[in-house]
Amino acid sequence: QKEVEQDPGPLSVPEGAIVSLNCTYSNSAFQYFMWYRQYSRKGPELLMYTYSSGNKEDGRFTAQVDKSSKYISLFIRDSQPSDSATYLCAMSARPENYGQNFVFGPGTRLSVLP
Amino acid sequence: NAGVTQTPKFRILKIGQSMTLQCTQDMNHNYMYWYRQDPGMGLKLIYYSVGAGITDKGEVPNGYNVSRSTTEDFPLRLELAAPSQTSVYFCASSSTGRPGSPLHFGNGTRLTVT
């Protein structure tokens, strides 16, 4: 079993739809959770950061963490064609962001169709 | 503002050849990282550095070497290239080692070893 799993997609939705992107993980020690967005032929960029359980909202994006289920989600409201990208979840068990503490999921490719 | 710059963008190597992937950042970040990204896999950490003169191995260091003589530059050396090193390589930097501190990625080097 991989330490962090994501549905690879591709996920195709019409413009304006609500999108749900999910990650499951096996290490119950993870407590720092991040979502990165990666456009084609570009490097990833940080989208959302959440500590421990709960929700965090930033504009059209909401990050949700359920540590009891070892499950995190990213919701995108009113999706736009510019949201078409690969979304990577990342997580860490320790407050250090470096070294082998930081684990990325394989990514979900999203296409928002006009 | 350039951020993290990687060169070259693309490279084809023959088995057994060597090359250096260049990475430079202009944000005065102490933390720098090299990742590789393979289809269906999460980003895997190759090497990282917490400051000039300090480097350490990540999850997949075999076949690679790094040096960090200045804050700005963090080159990755491939010795005796093998087909298994065909991948997209990303360099990243961060200002601190804390999880909420974003990793700033370059746009990658696409390497094919044949």
Side-chain angles (χ1 to χ4, degrees):
Chain A
Q1 182 189 14
K2 288 183 183 176
E3 199 167 14
V4 179
E5 303 212 43
Q6 285 184 260
D7 186 333
L11 177 63
S12 293
V13 301
E15 184 174 353
I18 296 174
V19 176
S20 171
L21 303 165
N22 309 300
C23 281
T24 58
Y25 60 93
S26 58
N27 186 350
S28 58
F30 286 145
Q31 52 181 334
Y32 303 91
F33 303 94
M34 289 133 286
W35 285 96
Y36 278 78
R37 178 175 61 196
Q38 184 177 17
Y39 290 114
S40 181
R41 304 287 185 177
K42 300 290 186 185
E45 56 181 342
L46 182 65
L47 198 56
M48 298 283 282
Y49 161 66
T50 314
Y51 169 66
S52 195
S53 286
N55 291 359
K56 183 175 182 179
E57 189 173 318
D58 184 1
R60 297 185 294 109
F61 298 90
T62 300
Q64 192 174 78
V65 175
D66 182 350
K67 290 183 67 181
S68 62
S69 302
K70 300 196 189 76
Y71 189 90
I72 69 171
S73 299
L74 178 70
F75 297 96
I76 307 174
R77 290 184 299 281
D78 186 25
S79 55
Q80 303 294 310
S82 59
D83 296 327
S84 298
T86 297
Y87 290 81
L88 314 174
C89 62
M91 44 198 79
S92 176
R94 297 177 58 178
E96 298 88 21
N97 199 22
Y98 53 88
Q100 301 181 39
N101 304 323
F102 203 56
V103 181
F104 280 90
T108 297
R109 188 153 60 95
L110 171 68
S111 292
V112 181
L113 307 174
Chain B
N1 49 345
V4 177
T5 302
Q6 291 184 240
T7 55
K9 289 185 171 59
F10 306 93
R11 184 72 186 267
I12 298 174
L13 279 183
K14 294 190 186 306
I15 294 171
Q17 288 184 321
S18 301
M19 76 165 293
T20 299
L21 282 66
Q22 302 291 345
C23 174
T24 188
Q25 52 95 5
D26 62 0
M27 297 172 283
N28 202 33
H29 287 171
N30 283 326
Y31 296 82
M32 294 190 75
Y33 318 80
W34 274 105
Y35 286 92
R36 59 177 289 171
Q37 187 176 42
D38 300 301
M41 308 289 288
L43 288 158
K44 299 294 184 188
L45 184 66
I46 305 171
Y47 271 94
Y48 67 98
S49 169
V50 300
I54 307 169
T55 63
D56 207 348
K57 296 177 180 178
E59 186 180 355
V60 290
N62 291 345
Y64 308 95
N65 273 302
V66 293
S67 59
R68 184 96 183 271
S69 56
T70 67
T71 299
E72 295 77 22
D73 299 307
F74 191 40
L76 178 72
R77 178 84 178 159
L78 277 72
E79 305 282 2
L80 299 174
S84 60
Q85 293 178 304
T86 294
S87 189
V88 182
Y89 291 85
F90 287 100
C91 178
S93 71
S94 64
S95 58
T96 75
R98 293 192 293 275
S101 176
L103 298 182
H104 297 265
F105 285 86
N107 286 329
T109 294
R110 282 158 182 78
L111 176 67
T112 302
V113 182
T114 62

